[in-house]
Amino acid sequence: MKARLHRLGAGILAALLLMLPQWALAGGDKATNIVVVADTRRVTGVMHYFADMYNTNILMFAVWTVVLTVVMGCSLGFLMDFFMSRTGLDLKSRKIVEH
């Protein structure tokens, strides 16, 4: 009896999850006309450049995002390695003993 209730509950939950996209589409045409844009009225300089790029060319914005994330991550890694080696923590000669 208990297993039957579990299967029934799982079936109802699966049916509800399958209906979720239909509920989202029930908003009609007004919900499909939403456009997300960045507000460029009060930003200047580099922020205006990136906000304008987000509004006009989302692919180039994505490329810039990936490139800048990699550059910032590498620079932070090299900077922390430099500071740690200056304090005496040399991670380059670390022996891996987890095997």
Coordinates of all heavy atoms in Angstrom, one line a residue:
M1 N 0.8 -1.2 0.0 CA 0.0 0.0 0.0 C 0.9 1.3 0.0 O 0.6 2.2 -0.7 CB -0.9 -0.1 1.2 CG -1.8 1.1 1.4 SD -3.1 1.0 0.1 CE -4.1 2.3 0.6
K2 N 1.9 1.2 0.8 CA 2.8 2.4 0.9 C 3.6 2.6 -0.4 O 3.7 3.8 -0.8 CB 3.8 2.2 2.1 CG 4.5 3.4 2.5 CD 5.4 3.1 3.7 CE 6.1 4.4 4.2 NZ 6.9 4.2 5.3
A3 N 4.0 1.5 -1.0 CA 4.7 1.7 -2.3 C 3.8 2.2 -3.4 O 4.2 3.0 -4.2 CB 5.3 0.3 -2.7
R4 N 2.5 1.8 -3.3 CA 1.5 2.3 -4.3 C 1.3 3.8 -4.1 O 1.2 4.6 -5.1 CB 0.2 1.6 -4.1 CG -0.8 2.0 -5.2 CD -2.0 1.1 -5.0 NE -3.0 1.6 -6.0 CZ -4.3 1.5 -5.9 NH1 -4.8 0.9 -4.8 NH2 -5.1 1.9 -6.8
L5 N 1.3 4.3 -2.9 CA 1.1 5.7 -2.6 C 2.4 6.5 -3.1 O 2.2 7.6 -3.7 CB 0.9 6.0 -1.2 CG -0.5 5.6 -0.6 CD1 -0.6 5.9 0.9 CD2 -1.6 6.5 -1.3
H6 N 3.5 5.9 -2.9 CA 4.8 6.6 -3.4 C 4.8 6.7 -4.9 O 5.2 7.7 -5.5 CB 6.0 5.8 -2.9 CG 6.3 6.1 -1.5 ND1 6.7 7.3 -1.0 CD2 6.3 5.3 -0.4 CE1 7.0 7.2 0.3 NE2 6.7 6.0 0.7
R7 N 4.3 5.6 -5.6 CA 4.3 5.7 -7.1 C 3.2 6.7 -7.6 O 3.5 7.4 -8.5 CB 4.0 4.3 -7.6 CG 5.2 3.4 -7.8 CD 4.9 2.1 -8.5 NE 4.4 1.2 -7.4 CZ 3.6 0.3 -7.6 NH1 3.0 0.0 -8.7 NH2 3.2 -0.5 -6.6
L8 N 2.1 6.7 -6.9 CA 1.1 7.7 -7.2 C 1.6 9.1 -7.0 O 1.4 10.0 -7.9 CB -0.2 7.4 -6.4 CG -1.4 8.4 -6.7 CD1 -1.9 8.2 -8.1 CD2 -2.4 8.2 -5.7
G9 N 2.3 9.4 -5.9 CA 2.8 10.7 -5.6 C 3.9 11.1 -6.7 O 3.9 12.2 -7.1
A10 N 4.7 10.1 -7.0 CA 5.8 10.4 -8.0 C 5.1 10.6 -9.4 O 5.6 11.5 -10.1 CB 6.7 9.2 -8.1
G11 N 4.1 9.9 -9.7 CA 3.4 10.2 -11.0 C 2.7 11.5 -11.1 O 2.8 12.2 -12.1
I12 N 2.1 11.9 -10.0 CA 1.5 13.3 -9.9 C 2.6 14.3 -10.0 O 2.4 15.3 -10.7 CB 0.6 13.4 -8.6 CG1 -0.6 12.5 -8.7 CG2 0.2 14.9 -8.4 CD1 -1.4 12.4 -7.5
L13 N 3.7 14.2 -9.3 CA 4.8 15.1 -9.3 C 5.4 15.2 -10.8 O 5.6 16.3 -11.3 CB 5.9 14.8 -8.3 CG 7.1 15.7 -8.3 CD1 6.6 17.1 -7.7 CD2 8.1 15.1 -7.4
A14 N 5.5 14.1 -11.4 CA 6.1 14.1 -12.8 C 5.1 14.8 -13.7 O 5.5 15.6 -14.6 CB 6.3 12.7 -13.3
A15 N 3.8 14.6 -13.6 CA 2.8 15.3 -14.4 C 2.8 16.8 -14.2 O 2.7 17.6 -15.1 CB 1.4 14.7 -14.1
L16 N 3.0 17.2 -12.9 CA 3.0 18.6 -12.6 C 4.3 19.3 -13.2 O 4.2 20.4 -13.8 CB 3.0 18.9 -11.1 CG 1.6 18.6 -10.5 CD1 1.8 18.7 -8.9 CD2 0.6 19.5 -11.0
L17 N 5.4 18.5 -13.2 CA 6.6 19.1 -13.7 C 6.5 19.2 -15.3 O 7.1 20.1 -15.9 CB 7.8 18.2 -13.3 CG 8.2 18.4 -11.9 CD1 9.4 17.4 -11.5 CD2 8.7 19.8 -11.6
L18 N 5.8 18.2 -15.9 CA 5.7 18.3 -17.3 C 4.8 19.4 -17.8 O 4.9 19.9 -18.9 CB 5.2 16.9 -17.8 CG 6.2 15.8 -17.8 CD1 5.5 14.5 -18.2 CD2 7.3 16.1 -18.8
M19 N 3.9 19.8 -16.9 CA 3.0 20.9 -17.2 C 3.6 22.3 -17.0 O 3.0 23.3 -17.4 CB 1.7 20.8 -16.4 CG 0.8 19.7 -16.9 SD -0.8 19.7 -16.2 CE -0.5 19.0 -14.6
L20 N 4.7 22.4 -16.3 CA 5.3 23.7 -16.0 C 5.6 24.6 -17.2 O 5.2 25.8 -17.2 CB 6.6 23.5 -15.2 CG 6.4 23.4 -13.7 CD1 7.8 23.1 -13.1 CD2 5.7 24.6 -13.1
P21 N 6.1 24.1 -18.3 CA 6.3 24.9 -19.5 C 5.0 25.4 -20.1 O 4.9 26.6 -20.5 CB 7.0 24.0 -20.5 CG 7.6 22.9 -19.7 CD 6.8 22.7 -18.5
Q22 N 3.9 24.7 -20.0 CA 2.7 25.1 -20.5 C 2.1 26.2 -19.7 O 1.5 27.2 -20.2 CB 1.7 24.0 -20.6 CG 2.0 22.9 -21.6 CD 2.1 23.5 -23.0 OE1 1.3 24.4 -23.4 NE2 3.1 23.1 -23.8
W23 N 2.3 26.2 -18.4 CA 1.9 27.3 -17.5 C 2.7 28.5 -17.8 O 2.1 29.6 -17.7 CB 2.1 26.9 -16.0 CG 1.1 25.8 -15.6 CD1 -0.1 25.5 -16.2 CD2 1.3 24.9 -14.5 NE1 -0.7 24.4 -15.5 CE2 0.2 24.1 -14.4 CE3 2.3 24.8 -13.5 CZ2 0.0 23.1 -13.5 CZ3 2.1 23.8 -12.6 CH2 1.0 23.0 -12.5
A24 N 4.0 28.4 -18.1 CA 4.8 29.6 -18.4 C 4.3 30.2 -19.8 O 4.3 31.4 -19.9 CB 6.2 29.2 -18.5
L25 N 3.9 29.4 -20.7 CA 3.5 29.9 -22.0 C 2.0 30.4 -21.9 O 1.6 31.0 -22.9 CB 3.6 28.8 -23.0 CG 5.0 28.3 -23.4 CD1 4.9 27.1 -24.3 CD2 5.7 29.5 -24.0
A26 N 1.3 30.2 -20.8 CA 0.0 30.6 -20.7 C -0.1 32.1 -20.6 O -1.2 32.7 -20.7 CB -0.7 30.0 -19.5
G27 N 1.0 32.8 -20.5 CA 1.0 34.3 -20.4 C 0.6 34.9 -21.7 O 0.2 36.0 -21.8
G28 N 0.7 34.2 -22.8 CA 0.2 34.7 -24.1 C 1.3 35.5 -24.8 O 2.5 35.4 -24.6
D29 N 0.8 36.3 -25.8 CA 1.7 37.1 -26.6 C 2.5 38.1 -25.9 O 3.6 38.5 -26.2 CB 1.0 37.7 -27.8 CG 0.5 36.6 -28.7 OD1 1.1 35.6 -28.8 OD2 -0.5 36.9 -29.4
K30 N 1.9 38.7 -24.8 CA 2.5 39.8 -24.1 C 3.8 39.3 -23.4 O 4.8 40.0 -23.3 CB 1.6 40.4 -23.1 CG 0.4 41.1 -23.7 CD -0.4 41.7 -22.6 CE -1.6 42.4 -23.2 NZ -2.5 43.0 -22.2
A31 N 3.8 38.1 -23.0 CA 5.0 37.5 -22.3 C 6.1 37.3 -23.3 O 7.3 37.3 -22.9 CB 4.6 36.3 -21.6
T32 N 5.8 37.0 -24.5 CA 6.8 36.7 -25.5 C 7.5 38.0 -26.1 O 8.5 37.9 -26.7 CB 6.3 35.9 -26.7 OG1 5.2 36.6 -27.3 CG2 5.8 34.5 -26.1
N33 N 6.9 39.2 -25.9 CA 7.4 40.4 -26.4 C 8.3 41.1 -25.5 O 8.7 42.3 -25.7 CB 6.3 41.3 -26.8 CG 5.4 40.8 -28.0 OD1 6.0 40.0 -28.7 ND2 4.2 41.1 -28.0
I34 N 8.7 40.5 -24.4 CA 9.6 41.1 -23.4 C 11.0 41.1 -24.0 O 11.6 40.1 -24.4 CB 9.6 40.4 -22.1 CG1 8.2 40.6 -21.5 CG2 10.6 41.0 -21.1 CD1 8.0 39.8 -20.2
V35 N 11.7 42.3 -24.0 CA 13.1 42.4 -24.4 C 13.9 43.0 -23.3 O 13.5 44.0 -22.7 CB 13.2 43.4 -25.6 CG1 14.6 43.6 -26.0 CG2 12.3 42.9 -26.8
V36 N 15.0 42.3 -22.9 CA 15.8 42.8 -21.8 C 17.0 43.6 -22.4 O 17.7 43.2 -23.3 CB 16.4 41.5 -21.1 CG1 17.3 42.0 -20.0 CG2 15.3 40.7 -20.5
V37 N 17.0 44.9 -21.9 CA 18.1 45.8 -22.4 C 18.7 46.4 -21.2 O 18.2 46.5 -20.1 CB 17.5 46.9 -23.3 CG1 17.0 46.3 -24.6 CG2 16.4 47.7 -22.6
A38 N 20.0 46.9 -21.4 CA 20.7 47.6 -20.4 C 20.4 49.1 -20.5 O 20.3 49.6 -21.6 CB 22.2 47.4 -20.5
D39 N 20.2 49.7 -19.4 CA 19.9 51.2 -19.3 C 21.2 52.0 -19.5 O 22.0 51.9 -18.7 CB 19.2 51.5 -18.0 CG 18.7 53.0 -18.0 OD1 18.7 53.6 -19.1 OD2 18.3 53.4 -16.9
T40 N 21.3 52.7 -20.6 CA 22.5 53.4 -20.9 C 22.4 54.9 -20.7 O 23.3 55.6 -21.1 CB 23.0 53.1 -22.4 OG1 21.9 53.6 -23.2 CG2 23.3 51.7 -22.6
R41 N 21.4 55.3 -20.0 CA 21.2 56.8 -19.8 C 22.1 57.4 -18.8 O 22.5 58.5 -19.0 CB 19.7 57.0 -19.4 CG 18.7 56.7 -20.5 CD 17.3 56.9 -20.0 NE 17.0 55.9 -19.0 CZ 15.8 55.7 -18.5 NH1 14.8 56.6 -18.8 NH2 15.6 54.8 -17.6
R42 N 22.5 56.6 -17.8 CA 23.3 57.2 -16.7 C 24.7 56.7 -16.6 O 25.4 57.0 -15.6 CB 22.6 57.0 -15.4 CG 21.3 57.8 -15.3 CD 20.7 57.7 -14.0 NE 19.4 58.5 -13.9 CZ 18.3 58.0 -13.5 NH1 18.2 56.7 -13.0 NH2 17.2 58.7 -13.5
V43 N 25.1 55.8 -17.5 CA 26.4 55.3 -17.4 C 27.4 55.9 -18.4 O 26.9 56.4 -19.5 CB 26.4 53.7 -17.7 CG1 25.7 53.0 -16.6 CG2 25.8 53.4 -19.0
T44 N 28.7 56.0 -18.1 CA 29.6 56.7 -19.0 C 30.9 55.8 -19.1 O 31.1 54.8 -18.3 CB 30.0 58.0 -18.4 OG1 30.6 57.8 -17.1 CG2 28.9 59.0 -18.3
G45 N 31.7 56.1 -20.0 CA 33.0 55.4 -20.2 C 32.9 54.0 -20.6 O 32.1 53.6 -21.5
V46 N 33.6 53.1 -19.9 CA 33.7 51.7 -20.3 C 32.4 51.0 -20.0 O 31.9 50.2 -20.7 CB 34.8 51.0 -19.5 CG1 34.9 49.5 -19.7 CG2 36.2 51.6 -19.8
M47 N 31.7 51.4 -18.9 CA 30.4 50.8 -18.6 C 29.4 51.1 -19.7 O 28.5 50.3 -20.0 CB 29.9 51.4 -17.3 CG 30.7 50.9 -16.1 SD 30.9 49.1 -15.9 CE 29.2 48.8 -15.4
H48 N 29.4 52.3 -20.3 CA 28.5 52.6 -21.4 C 28.9 51.8 -22.6 O 28.0 51.3 -23.3 CB 28.6 54.1 -21.7 CG 27.6 54.6 -22.8 ND1 27.8 54.5 -24.1 CD2 26.3 55.0 -22.6 CE1 26.8 54.9 -24.8 NE2 25.8 55.2 -23.9
Y49 N 30.1 51.6 -22.9 CA 30.6 50.7 -24.0 C 30.0 49.3 -23.8 O 29.4 48.8 -24.8 CB 32.1 50.7 -24.1 CG 32.6 49.7 -25.0 CD1 32.5 49.9 -26.4 CD2 33.2 48.5 -24.6 CE1 33.0 49.0 -27.3 CE2 33.7 47.6 -25.5 CZ 33.6 47.9 -26.9 OH 34.1 46.9 -27.8
F50 N 30.1 48.7 -22.6 CA 29.7 47.4 -22.5 C 28.2 47.3 -22.4 O 27.6 46.3 -22.9 CB 30.3 46.8 -21.2 CG 31.7 46.3 -21.4 CD1 32.7 47.0 -20.8 CD2 32.0 45.2 -22.2 CE1 34.0 46.6 -21.0 CE2 33.3 44.8 -22.4 CZ 34.3 45.5 -21.8
A51 N 27.5 48.3 -21.9 CA 26.0 48.3 -21.9 C 25.5 48.4 -23.3 O 24.5 47.7 -23.7 CB 25.5 49.4 -21.0
D52 N 26.1 49.3 -24.1 CA 25.7 49.4 -25.5 C 26.0 48.1 -26.3 O 25.2 47.7 -27.1 CB 26.4 50.6 -26.1 CG 25.8 51.0 -27.5 OD1 24.6 51.0 -27.6 OD2 26.6 51.3 -28.4
M53 N 27.1 47.5 -26.0 CA 27.4 46.3 -26.7 C 26.4 45.2 -26.3 O 26.0 44.4 -27.1 CB 28.8 45.8 -26.3 CG 29.3 44.6 -27.1 SD 30.8 43.9 -26.7 CE 31.8 45.2 -26.2
Y54 N 26.0 45.1 -25.0 CA 25.0 44.2 -24.6 C 23.7 44.4 -25.3 O 23.0 43.4 -25.7 CB 24.8 44.3 -23.1 CG 23.7 43.4 -22.5 CD1 24.0 42.1 -22.2 CD2 22.4 43.8 -22.3 CE1 23.1 41.2 -21.7 CE2 21.5 43.0 -21.8 CZ 21.8 41.7 -21.5 OH 20.8 40.8 -21.0
N55 N 23.3 45.6 -25.6 CA 22.1 45.9 -26.3 C 22.1 45.7 -27.8 O 21.1 45.3 -28.4 CB 21.7 47.4 -26.1 CG 21.3 47.7 -24.6 OD1 20.9 46.8 -23.9 ND2 21.4 48.9 -24.2
T56 N 23.3 45.8 -28.4 CA 23.4 45.7 -29.8 C 24.0 44.3 -30.3 O 23.5 43.8 -31.3 CB 24.2 46.8 -30.4 OG1 25.5 46.8 -29.8 CG2 23.6 48.2 -30.2
N57 N 25.0 43.8 -29.7 CA 25.7 42.6 -30.2 C 26.0 41.7 -29.0 O 27.0 41.8 -28.4 CB 27.0 43.0 -30.9 CG 27.6 41.9 -31.6 OD1 27.1 40.7 -31.5 ND2 28.7 42.2 -32.4
I58 N 25.0 40.8 -28.7 CA 25.2 40.0 -27.5 C 26.3 39.0 -27.7 O 26.9 38.6 -26.7 CB 23.8 39.3 -27.2 CG1 23.8 38.8 -25.8 CG2 23.5 38.3 -28.2 CD1 23.7 39.8 -24.7
L59 N 26.6 38.6 -28.9 CA 27.7 37.6 -29.1 C 29.0 38.2 -28.8 O 29.8 37.6 -28.1 CB 27.6 37.1 -30.6 CG 28.7 36.1 -30.9 CD1 28.6 34.8 -30.1 CD2 28.7 35.8 -32.4
M60 N 29.3 39.4 -29.2 CA 30.5 40.1 -28.9 C 30.6 40.4 -27.4 O 31.7 40.3 -26.8 CB 30.6 41.4 -29.7 CG 32.0 42.1 -29.4 SD 33.3 41.0 -29.8 CE 33.8 41.6 -31.4
F61 N 29.5 40.7 -26.7 CA 29.4 40.8 -25.3 C 29.8 39.5 -24.6 O 30.6 39.6 -23.6 CB 28.0 41.3 -24.8 CG 27.9 41.5 -23.4 CD1 28.4 42.6 -22.7 CD2 27.3 40.5 -22.6 CE1 28.3 42.7 -21.4 CE2 27.2 40.6 -21.2 CZ 27.7 41.8 -20.6
A62 N 29.4 38.4 -25.1 CA 29.7 37.1 -24.5 C 31.2 36.8 -24.7 O 31.8 36.3 -23.8 CB 28.9 36.0 -25.1
V63 N 31.7 37.1 -25.9 CA 33.2 36.9 -26.1 C 34.0 37.8 -25.2 O 35.0 37.3 -24.5 CB 33.5 37.2 -27.6 CG1 35.0 37.2 -27.8 CG2 32.9 36.2 -28.5
W64 N 33.6 39.1 -25.0 CA 34.3 39.9 -24.1 C 34.3 39.4 -22.7 O 35.2 39.5 -21.9 CB 33.8 41.4 -24.2 CG 34.5 42.3 -25.1 CD1 34.1 42.8 -26.3 CD2 35.9 42.8 -24.9 NE1 35.0 43.5 -26.8 CE2 36.1 43.6 -26.0 CE3 36.8 42.6 -23.9 CZ2 37.4 44.2 -26.2 CZ3 38.0 43.3 -24.1 CH2 38.3 44.1 -25.2
T65 N 33.1 38.9 -22.3 CA 32.9 38.4 -20.9 C 33.9 37.3 -20.7 O 34.5 37.2 -19.6 CB 31.5 38.0 -20.7 OG1 30.6 39.1 -21.0 CG2 31.2 37.5 -19.3
V66 N 33.9 36.3 -21.6 CA 34.8 35.2 -21.4 C 36.3 35.6 -21.4 O 37.0 35.2 -20.5 CB 34.6 34.1 -22.5 CG1 35.6 33.1 -22.5 CG2 33.2 33.5 -22.4
V67 N 36.7 36.5 -22.3 CA 38.1 36.9 -22.3 C 38.4 37.7 -21.1 O 39.5 37.4 -20.5 CB 38.3 37.8 -23.6 CG1 39.6 38.5 -23.5 CG2 38.2 36.9 -24.8
L68 N 37.6 38.6 -20.6 CA 37.9 39.3 -19.4 C 37.9 38.4 -18.2 O 38.7 38.7 -17.2 CB 36.9 40.5 -19.2 CG 37.1 41.6 -20.2 CD1 36.1 42.7 -20.0 CD2 38.5 42.2 -20.1
T69 N 37.1 37.4 -18.1 CA 37.1 36.5 -17.0 C 38.4 35.7 -16.9 O 39.0 35.6 -15.9 CB 35.9 35.6 -17.1 OG1 34.7 36.3 -17.1 CG2 35.8 34.6 -15.9
V70 N 38.8 35.3 -18.1 CA 40.1 34.5 -18.1 C 41.3 35.4 -17.7 O 42.1 35.0 -16.9 CB 40.3 33.9 -19.5 CG1 41.7 33.4 -19.7 CG2 39.3 32.8 -19.8
V71 N 41.3 36.6 -18.3 CA 42.4 37.6 -18.0 C 42.4 37.9 -16.5 O 43.5 37.9 -15.8 CB 42.3 38.8 -18.8 CG1 43.2 39.9 -18.3 CG2 42.6 38.5 -20.3
M72 N 41.3 38.2 -15.9 CA 41.2 38.6 -14.5 C 41.6 37.4 -13.6 O 42.3 37.5 -12.6 CB 39.9 39.1 -14.1 CG 39.6 40.5 -14.6 SD 38.1 41.2 -14.0 CE 36.9 40.5 -15.0
G73 N 41.1 36.2 -14.0 CA 41.5 35.0 -13.2 C 43.0 34.7 -13.3 O 43.6 34.4 -12.2
C74 N 43.6 34.8 -14.5 CA 45.0 34.5 -14.6 C 45.8 35.6 -13.8 O 46.8 35.2 -13.2 CB 45.4 34.5 -16.0 SG 44.9 33.0 -16.9
S75 N 45.5 36.8 -14.0 CA 46.2 37.9 -13.3 C 46.1 37.7 -11.8 O 47.1 37.9 -11.0 CB 45.8 39.2 -13.7 OG 44.4 39.4 -13.4
L76 N 44.9 37.4 -11.3 CA 44.8 37.1 -9.8 C 45.6 35.9 -9.4 O 46.2 36.0 -8.3 CB 43.3 36.9 -9.5 CG 42.9 36.8 -8.0 CD1 43.3 38.0 -7.3 CD2 41.5 36.5 -7.9
G77 N 45.6 34.9 -10.2 CA 46.4 33.7 -9.8 C 47.9 34.0 -9.8 O 48.6 33.6 -8.9
F78 N 48.4 34.7 -10.8 CA 49.8 35.1 -10.8 C 50.2 36.0 -9.7 O 51.2 35.9 -9.0 CB 50.2 35.7 -12.1 CG 50.3 34.7 -13.2 CD1 49.6 34.8 -14.4 CD2 51.1 33.6 -13.1 CE1 49.7 33.9 -15.4 CE2 51.2 32.6 -14.1 CZ 50.5 32.8 -15.3
L79 N 49.3 37.0 -9.4 CA 49.5 37.9 -8.3 C 49.5 37.2 -6.9 O 50.4 37.4 -6.1 CB 48.4 39.0 -8.3 CG 48.5 40.1 -7.3 CD1 49.7 41.0 -7.6 CD2 47.3 40.9 -7.2
M80 N 48.6 36.3 -6.7 CA 48.6 35.5 -5.4 C 49.8 34.6 -5.4 O 50.4 34.4 -4.3 CB 47.3 34.8 -5.3 CG 46.1 35.6 -5.2 SD 46.2 37.0 -4.0 CE 46.5 36.2 -2.5
D81 N 50.2 34.0 -6.5 CA 51.4 33.2 -6.5 C 52.7 34.0 -6.1 O 53.5 33.6 -5.3 CB 51.6 32.5 -7.8 CG 52.7 31.5 -7.8 OD1 52.8 30.7 -6.9 OD2 53.5 31.5 -8.8
F82 N 52.7 35.2 -6.6 CA 53.8 36.1 -6.3 C 53.8 36.5 -4.8 O 54.9 36.4 -4.2 CB 53.7 37.4 -7.2 CG 54.7 38.5 -6.8 CD1 56.1 38.3 -7.1 CD2 54.3 39.6 -6.1 CE1 57.0 39.3 -6.8 CE2 55.2 40.6 -5.8 CZ 56.5 40.4 -6.1
F83 N 52.7 36.9 -4.3 CA 52.6 37.2 -2.9 C 52.9 36.0 -2.0 O 53.6 36.2 -1.0 CB 51.3 37.8 -2.5 CG 51.1 39.2 -3.0 CD1 49.9 39.6 -3.6 CD2 52.1 40.2 -2.8 CE1 49.8 40.9 -4.0 CE2 52.0 41.5 -3.3 CZ 50.8 41.9 -3.9
M84 N 52.4 34.9 -2.3 CA 52.7 33.7 -1.5 C 54.1 33.3 -1.6 O 54.7 32.9 -0.5 CB 51.8 32.5 -2.0 CG 50.3 32.8 -1.6 SD 49.2 31.5 -2.1 CE 49.6 30.2 -1.0
S85 N 54.8 33.4 -2.7 CA 56.2 33.1 -2.8 C 57.1 34.1 -2.0 O 58.1 33.8 -1.4 CB 56.7 33.0 -4.2 OG 56.6 34.2 -4.8
R86 N 56.6 35.4 -1.9 CA 57.3 36.4 -1.2 C 57.2 36.2 0.3 O 58.0 36.6 1.1 CB 56.8 37.8 -1.5 CG 57.0 38.2 -2.9 CD 58.4 38.5 -3.3 NE 58.7 39.8 -2.8 CZ 59.9 40.3 -2.8 NH1 60.9 39.7 -3.3 NH2 60.1 41.5 -2.3
T87 N 56.1 35.5 0.8 CA 55.9 35.2 2.2 C 56.5 33.9 2.6 O 56.5 33.5 3.8 CB 54.4 35.2 2.5 OG1 53.8 34.2 1.8 CG2 53.8 36.6 2.3
G88 N 57.1 33.2 1.6 CA 57.7 31.9 2.0 C 56.9 30.7 1.6 O 57.4 29.5 1.9
L89 N 55.8 30.8 1.1 CA 55.0 29.7 0.7 C 55.2 29.4 -0.8 O 54.5 30.0 -1.6 CB 53.5 29.9 1.0 CG 53.1 30.1 2.4 CD1 51.7 30.6 2.5 CD2 53.3 28.9 3.2
D90 N 56.1 28.5 -1.1 CA 56.4 28.2 -2.5 C 55.6 26.9 -2.9 O 55.8 25.8 -2.5 CB 57.9 27.9 -2.6 CG 58.3 27.8 -4.1 OD1 57.5 28.2 -4.9 OD2 59.3 27.2 -4.3
L91 N 54.6 27.2 -3.7 CA 53.7 26.1 -4.2 C 54.2 25.4 -5.4 O 53.7 24.4 -5.9 CB 52.3 26.6 -4.4 CG 51.6 27.1 -3.2 CD1 50.2 27.7 -3.6 CD2 51.4 26.1 -2.1
K92 N 55.3 25.9 -6.0 CA 55.8 25.3 -7.3 C 56.6 24.0 -7.0 O 56.6 23.1 -7.8 CB 56.7 26.3 -8.0 CG 56.0 27.5 -8.5 CD 56.9 28.4 -9.2 CE 56.1 29.6 -9.6 NZ 56.9 30.7 -10.1
S93 N 57.2 23.9 -5.8 CA 57.9 22.7 -5.5 C 57.1 21.8 -4.5 O 57.7 20.9 -3.9 CB 59.2 23.1 -4.8 OG 59.0 23.8 -3.6
R94 N 55.8 21.9 -4.5 CA 55.0 21.0 -3.7 C 54.9 19.6 -4.2 O 54.8 19.4 -5.4 CB 53.6 21.6 -3.7 CG 52.6 20.8 -2.8 CD 51.3 21.6 -2.8 NE 50.3 20.7 -2.2 CZ 49.3 20.1 -2.8 NH1 49.1 20.3 -4.1 NH2 48.5 19.4 -2.1
K95 N 55.1 18.7 -3.3 CA 55.0 17.3 -3.6 C 53.6 16.8 -3.4 O 53.1 16.9 -2.3 CB 56.1 16.5 -2.9 CG 57.5 16.8 -3.2 CD 58.5 16.0 -2.5 CE 59.8 16.4 -3.0 NZ 60.9 15.7 -2.4
I96 N 53.0 16.1 -4.3 CA 51.7 15.6 -4.2 C 51.8 14.3 -3.5 O 52.4 13.3 -4.1 CB 51.0 15.6 -5.6 CG1 50.9 16.9 -6.2 CG2 49.6 15.0 -5.4 CD1 50.4 17.0 -7.6
V97 N 51.1 14.1 -2.4 CA 51.2 12.9 -1.6 C 49.8 12.2 -1.5 O 49.6 11.4 -0.6 CB 51.8 13.1 -0.3 CG1 53.3 13.4 -0.4 CG2 51.1 14.1 0.5
E98 N 48.8 12.7 -2.2 CA 47.5 12.2 -2.1 C 47.3 10.8 -2.7 O 46.3 10.2 -2.6 CB 46.4 13.1 -2.7 CG 46.2 14.3 -1.9 CD 47.1 15.5 -2.3 OE1 47.7 15.4 -3.4 OE2 47.1 16.5 -1.6
H99 N 48.3 10.3 -3.5 CA 48.1 9.0 -4.2 C 48.0 7.9 -3.2 O 48.8 7.5 -2.5 CB 49.2 8.8 -5.1 CG 49.3 9.8 -6.3 ND1 48.9 11.1 -6.1 CD2 49.6 9.7 -7.5 CE1 49.0 11.8 -7.2 NE2 49.5 10.9 -8.2

